[in-house]
């Protein structure tokens, strides 16, 4: 008997009742648990909670203004002006704003990574990212600054709503679903929160309609 | 990891006298206990959510075989390879085999308590694989050759100065004193380890049966790096970690970080399903998931089954007056605090940890904060009963109880004994009406005096009507 069979038969010896129909039913229904109340203004709620988790937030009504907003932010913080972006954002007028954004996955030496997001969650101020050929996971991970351009209409109330959206638009989850809530951090030394552990030091969210 | 919990009492004496540890533990209390209390109220109906969370865990544990098989089917369908391990040694053998199969020379590892159960790092070093811990706390411990003392904050027992000294010695760089500088130095030292690793090793906080996914919560981003960059990813976790659906895991995620670190959500929640697709730029080409039993299956269907609900948040230890005073190392194995006092005897053998079930005041704080409503004091009491049944209790504990039981069954002798007892104690109390020492209870009277009884027993007073 192999390890799998040994472990399962040990469990089987004390749990004899078969509940296959109940399991299929639960999987098909995937019922929600108790939900927290989320204020009706999802955009305001998202912004407030994202800022609470140390993300920076900027807004514009015109997507074409995103590079200018980013350029101003980078200058204010004395940060480099070159980096990488997802291919879906390559068409924005980066160079007109004095930025050099290459459309490719991030390497270790890249300091700015600009991404979109599948959606965002108001309850916690969280981005939901799906991995894929055009949405490389490294862009939000390796650079010291992560910039996410988000359509405010893609903000949902809860993580449950985000799962429903995922089920509607994709048959199954991609290789990696990453929920991001602010810059990476550690409190391992003396339980003192320090921003910028192994991931980005800062996360800038730019709300701009598609 | 070797189980040294047999030395619990000896370790307690050492830890109580360790002033640096005592400072560190008081910090833990203020940050984690107050942190939890500040965000747990964000959950609209906490009790309802805890009940739902316990039910989610019970749903799986009550039908563990079916859920495990369903998880395995889904994970395999997405290209993950699922391995089963009965013991920690089996895990080590499996990981070493995967490393050999893929020509792995170096591994980057994020924090995994299950891998600590196995002593994986030492086994891999023996197999010729260089392992780098990348969670800041675990990295510090690897440099210092120490074991974690907390399941969430592994290096809570060390202060900043000790870490400054350690980094200066091991990194051969100028000694940094600020916490932010120390963190940056570790980041810069560890970044190449992520980029060059052939294999990433992680735990999994949950396994989602619906999708065959491994879910990892992290704050530092190292969990994302070790599961994204290396060409091989191995996730190691316990067989009890299955959760039915994405909705179910979401309910648990509302409780886990709040209970653990006082965060409404961790910085990263990664749901990892299958291996890299051909057209993807990143992700592991080989994804292995190892399911460890190590004694867990023997709890299924037993009176201790509720312990399998545990989601490893650490709230029970943060709130435990025993842990708060002695820290994690005294417990002698991977899991400290109330959950450890139950798991260590159950997984490692009750004979090897005689003191742990008794390392509780039964104050109930652990059960009150447990997000999945594990009745921890009840389980500790059941372990004490097992100890008594197996004749593991000392005569100093059982003899006085036997005497008391005999007296209680003989009311007239009981009355006489208490009458003599209280009068004797009143005499000993003298003018002050205080007893400075009590035979057999010197530990208690070391810190305070015992007020002498006023002279009559309750039964005497009651008989005269004074007790009404």
């Amino acid at each position: 008997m192999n390890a799998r069979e040994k472990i399962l038969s040990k469990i089987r010896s004390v749990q004899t009742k078969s509940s296959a129909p109940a399991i299929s039913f639960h999987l098909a229904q995937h019922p929600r648990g108790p939900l927290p109340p989320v204020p009706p203004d999802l955009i305001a709620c998202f912004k407030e909670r994202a800022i609470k988790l140390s993300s920076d937030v900027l807004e514009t009504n015109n997507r074409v203004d995103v590079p200018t907003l980013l350029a101003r932010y980078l200058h204010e913080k004395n940060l480099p002006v070159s980096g990488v972006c997802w291919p879906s954002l390559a068409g924005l007028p980066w160079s007109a704003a004095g930025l050099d954004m290459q459309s490719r996955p991030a390497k270790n030496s890249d300091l700015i990574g600009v991404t979109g997001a599948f959606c965002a969650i108001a309850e916690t101020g969280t981005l939901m990212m799906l991995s894929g050929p055009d949405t490389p996971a490294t862009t939000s991970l390796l650079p010291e600054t992560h910039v996410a351009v988000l359509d405010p209409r893609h903000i949902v109330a809860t993580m449950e709503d985000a799962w429903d959206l995922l089920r509607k638009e994709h048959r199954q989850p991609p290789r990696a679903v990453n929920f991001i809530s602010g810059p990476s951090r550690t409190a391992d030394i003396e339980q003192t929160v320090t921003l910028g552990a192994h991931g980005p030091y800062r996360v800038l969210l730019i709300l701009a309609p598609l | 990891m070797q189980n040294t919990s047999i030395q619990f009492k000896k370790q307690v004496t050492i830890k109580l006298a360790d002033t640096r540890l005592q400072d560190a533990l008081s910090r833990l209390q203020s940050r984690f206990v107050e942190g939890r209390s500040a965000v747990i109220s964000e959950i609209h109906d906490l009790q309802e959510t805890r009940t739902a969370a316990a039910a989610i865990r019970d749903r799986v544990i009550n039908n563990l075989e079916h859920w495990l098989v369903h998880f395995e089917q889904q994970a395999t369908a997405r290209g993950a390879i699922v391995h089963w391990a009965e013991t920690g040694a089996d895990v080590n053998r499996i990981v070493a085999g995967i490393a050999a199969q893929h020509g792995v020379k170096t591994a980057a590892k994020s924090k995994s308590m299950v891998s600590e159960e196995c002593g994986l790092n030492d086994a891999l070093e023996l197999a010729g694989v260089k392992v780098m811990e990348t969670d800041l706390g675990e990295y510090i411990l690897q440099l210092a050759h120490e074991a974690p003392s907390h399941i969430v904050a592994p290096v809570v027992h060390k202060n900043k100065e000790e870490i400054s000294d350690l980094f200066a010695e091991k990194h051969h760089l100028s000694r940094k004193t600020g916490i932010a500088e120390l963190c940056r130095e570790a980041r810069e030292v560890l970044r190449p380890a992520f980029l060059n690793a052939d294999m990433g090793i992680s735990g999994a906080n949950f396994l989602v049966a619906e999708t065959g996914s491994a879910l990892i919560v992290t704050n530092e981003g190292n969990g994302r790096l070790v599961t994204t960059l290396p060409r091989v990813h191995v996730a190691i976790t316990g067989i009890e970690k299955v959760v039915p659906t994405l909705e179910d895991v979401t309910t648990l995620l509302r409780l886990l970080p709040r209970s653990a670190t006082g965060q409404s959500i961790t910085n990263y929640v990664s749901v990892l399903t299958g291996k890299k697709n051909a057209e993807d730029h990143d992700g592991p080409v080989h994804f292995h998931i190892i399911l460890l039993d190590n004694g867990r299956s023997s709890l299924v269907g037993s009176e201790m089954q509720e312990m399998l609900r545990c989601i490893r948040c650490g709230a029970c230890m943060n709130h435990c007056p025993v842990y708060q005073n002695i820290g994690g190392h005294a417990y002698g194995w991977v899991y400290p605090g109330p959950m450890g006092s139950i798991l260590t005897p159950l997984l490692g053998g009750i004979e090897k940890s005689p003191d742990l079930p008794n390392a509780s005041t039964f104050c109930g704080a652990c059960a009150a904060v447990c997000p999945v409503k594990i009745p921890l004091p009840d389980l500790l009491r059941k372990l004490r009963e097992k100890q008594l049944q197996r004749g593991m209790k000392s005569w100093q504990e059982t003899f006085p109880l036997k005497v008391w039981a005999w007296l209680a069954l003989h009311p007239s002798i009981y009355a006489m004994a208490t009458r003599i007892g209280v009068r004797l104690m009143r005499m000993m109390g003298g003018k002050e009406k205080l007893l400075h020492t009590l035979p057999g209870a010197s530990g208690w009277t070391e810190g305070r005096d015992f007020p002498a009884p006023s002279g009559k027993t309750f039964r005497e007073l009651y008989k005269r009507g004074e007790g009404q």
Side-chain angles (χ1 to χ4, degrees):
Chain A
M1 215 167 21
N2 61 21
R4 178 185 188 276
E5 206 33 53
K6 275 189 200 159
I7 295 167
L8 291 180
S9 69
K10 208 166 158 192
I11 297 167
R12 203 178 303 132
S13 69
V14 287
Q15 286 183 343
T16 45
K17 86 175 167 110
S18 163
S19 306
I23 287 173
S24 306
F25 183 75
H26 186 79
L27 286 168
Q29 299 293 312
H30 50 82
R32 296 177 169 199
L35 295 174
V38 178
D41 186 346
L42 295 183
I43 300 174
C45 175
F46 172 78
K47 285 194 301 194
E48 182 213 315
R49 303 210 176 158
I51 290 166
K52 216 168 135 189
L53 296 179
S54 312
S55 293
D56 295 323
V57 181
L58 296 173
E59 272 180 286
T60 173
N61 287 324
N62 195 343
R63 210 168 176 83
V64 176
D65 295 335
V66 166
T68 324
L69 277 180
L70 176 57
R72 203 180 303 149
Y73 175 87
L74 294 175
H75 286 304
E76 272 170 23
K77 303 224 171 237
N78 214 5
L79 294 168
V81 292
S82 61
V84 292
C85 68
W86 280 2
S88 58
L89 298 163
L92 290 175
W94 299 112
S95 46
L99 303 177
D100 173 21
M101 287 296 153
Q102 295 178 27
S103 171
R104 58 168 172 79
K107 289 184 301 200
N108 186 44
S109 51
D110 294 316
L111 294 172
I112 315 277
V114 186
T115 71
F118 174 67
C119 71
I121 299 164
E123 180 193 347
T124 44
T126 299
L127 293 171
M128 181 184 190
M129 323 283 284
L130 307 185
S131 72
D134 294 327
T135 54
T138 47
T139 313
S140 62
L141 182 57
L142 290 173
E144 293 194 356
T145 303
H146 171 209
V147 182
V149 183
L150 174 72
D151 186 330
R153 287 168 299 192
H154 292 174
I155 298 172
V156 298
T158 61
M159 195 180 276
E160 283 85 348
D161 288 342
W163 294 130
D164 278 351
L165 201 60
L166 176 73
R167 287 194 185 99
K168 203 173 106 195
E169 297 195 9
H170 303 265
R171 203 169 47 84
Q172 54 187 16
R175 184 199 68 80
V177 177
N178 279 301
F179 294 97
I180 301 177
S181 310
S184 72
R185 69 190 67 200
T186 179
D188 273 347
I189 303 178
E190 297 193 349
Q191 281 63 62
T192 303
V193 175
T194 309
L195 296 183
H198 294 300
Y201 277 84
R202 61 196 72 77
V203 171
L204 168 65
L205 308 170
I206 305 182
L207 301 185
L210 270 171
Chain B
M1 189 171 161
Q2 211 193 334
N3 178 356
T4 57
S5 57
I6 195 97
Q7 293 166 22
F8 181 74
K9 279 188 179 160
K10 198 176 119 198
Q11 283 300 316
V12 166
T13 313
I14 296 168
K15 299 302 175 191
L16 286 172
D18 183 341
T19 50
R20 262 205 300 215
L21 176 71
Q22 294 300 323
D23 282 352
L25 289 171
S26 63
R27 211 162 41 228
L28 177 87
Q29 259 179 78
S30 60
R31 294 280 150 77
F32 281 179
V33 173
E34 286 164 25
R36 175 190 174 276
S37 126
V39 297
I40 203 80
S41 56
E42 291 170 358
I43 298 178
H44 187 54
D45 192 335
L46 177 60
Q47 296 318 321
E48 194 194 336
T49 307
R50 287 174 75 218
T51 304
I56 288 166
R57 300 295 296 126
D58 284 348
R59 178 184 292 280
V60 168
I61 297 157
N62 286 331
N63 263 295
L64 192 54
E65 182 191 3
H66 287 82
W67 286 107
L68 277 168
V69 170
H70 191 88
F71 169 78
E72 184 187 36
Q73 282 167 355
Q74 298 303 310
T76 309
R78 289 295 303 271
I81 298 169
V82 178
H83 305 260
W84 301 71
E86 283 186 280
T87 65
D90 293 337
V91 168
N92 298 343
R93 193 176 37 74
I94 293 166
V95 181
I98 295 167
Q101 183 192 341
H102 298 299
V104 169
K105 295 274 176 291
T106 57
K109 186 160 170 276
S110 70
K111 193 161 83 70
S112 155
M113 287 298 118
V114 171
S115 79
E116 296 284 345
E117 283 183 41
C118 312
L120 178 66
N121 292 5
D122 291 344
L124 283 181
E125 297 283 345
L126 277 175
V129 179
K130 187 172 164 9
V131 186
M132 196 83 154
E133 289 284 356
T134 63
D135 171 84
L136 178 60
E138 291 285 345
Y139 171 67
I140 291 164
L141 294 177
Q142 192 179 29
L143 289 182
H145 302 288
E146 285 178 29
S149 70
H150 189 285
I151 61 171
V152 173
V155 69
V156 64
H157 59 281
K158 273 198 177 323
N159 66 24
K160 188 179 72 182
E161 280 67 38
E162 293 173 85
I163 295 163
S164 293
D165 292 342
L166 185 71
F167 276 13
E169 183 203 330
K170 302 282 180 180
H171 292 163
H172 309 291
L173 294 166
S174 63
R175 187 178 184 277
K176 313 290 190 299
T177 50
I179 291 176
E181 289 174 294
L182 290 166
C183 292
R184 185 173 264 279
E185 185 171 306
R187 175 192 171 102
E188 284 164 6
V189 170
L190 283 167
R191 194 43 95 80
F194 293 112
L195 297 166
N196 301 329
D198 305 307
M199 179 194 263
I201 301 172
S202 75
N205 296 86
F206 301 108
L207 302 169
V208 186
E210 176 190 3
T211 53
S213 317
L215 184 145
I216 300 169
V217 300
T218 63
N219 281 311
E220 297 184 3
N222 63 320
R224 283 189 67 195
L225 286 162
V226 305
T227 61
T228 305
L229 300 182
R231 58 193 162 88
V232 184
H233 171 209
V234 181
I236 307 166
T237 196
I239 53 168
E240 84 284 16
K241 288 292 174 69
V242 183
V243 168
T245 64
L246 295 168
E247 277 76 6
D248 289 330
V249 90
T250 303
T251 297
L252 295 172
L253 283 174
R254 285 203 176 88
L255 291 165
L256 174 59
R258 285 188 172 92
S259 303
T261 51
Q263 291 175 281
S264 50
I265 188 166
T266 49
N267 269 89
Y268 302 111
V269 176
S270 302
V271 184
L272 306 166
T273 316
K275 60 180 182 178
K276 171 184 182 290
N277 297 304
E279 59 275 20
D280 282 351
H281 299 282
D282 43 45
V285 186
H286 308 281
F287 181 26
H288 296 265
I289 300 171
I290 305 179
L291 305 174
L292 173 66
D293 182 348
N294 206 24
R296 288 164 172 80
S297 61
S298 63
L299 309 190
V300 175
S302 80
E303 57 176 358
M304 310 301 288
Q305 183 181 293
E306 284 152 317
M307 196 58 224
L308 292 175
R309 285 182 196 159
C310 180
I311 57 172
R312 308 290 195 263
C313 69
C316 62
M317 59 198 74
N318 297 339
H319 290 77
C320 176
V322 178
Y323 180 95
Q324 286 170 354
N325 280 285
I326 64 173
H329 284 155
Y331 291 83
W333 199 49
V334 182
Y335 304 107
M339 55 80 81
S341 293
I342 296 166
L343 271 183
T344 305
L346 288 178
L347 302 185
I350 195 165
E351 297 77 14
K352 288 184 190 158
S353 315
D355 296 319
L356 293 188
N358 302 297
S360 166
T361 63
F362 278 5
C363 72
C366 50
V369 296
C370 177
V372 287
K373 293 175 89 168
I374 302 172
L376 294 147
D378 289 348
L379 299 184
L380 285 164
R381 187 176 42 74
K382 285 177 189 168
L383 280 174
R384 292 184 191 182
E385 285 168 7
K386 272 188 216 274
Q387 289 184 318
L388 185 70
Q389 285 157 9
R390 294 189 192 182
M392 288 172 64
K393 294 280 186 191
S394 68
W395 70 267
Q396 289 100 323
E397 194 177 341
T398 52
F399 180 70
L401 283 171
K402 274 184 191 150
V403 171
W404 187 85
W406 185 85
L407 282 173
L409 290 169
H410 298 85
S412 55
I413 304 175
Y414 186 95
M416 195 175 71
T418 48
R419 219 160 44 226
I420 297 169
V422 296
R423 280 173 179 74
L424 209 63
M425 283 167 86
R426 187 182 58 174
M427 274 165 57
M428 282 163 63
K431 252 193 209 153
E432 290 179 306
K433 297 184 177 172
L434 288 172
L435 297 163
H436 302 305
T437 56
L438 279 171
S442 57
W444 198 92
T445 50
E446 231 167 62
R448 47 218 178 302
D449 293 329
F450 189 87
S454 63
K456 290 194 181 80
T457 68
F458 172 75
R459 284 150 60 117
E460 287 173 307
L461 295 172
Y462 190 81
K463 219 179 245 173
R464 291 190 203 169
E466 288 174 33
Q468 284 168 27

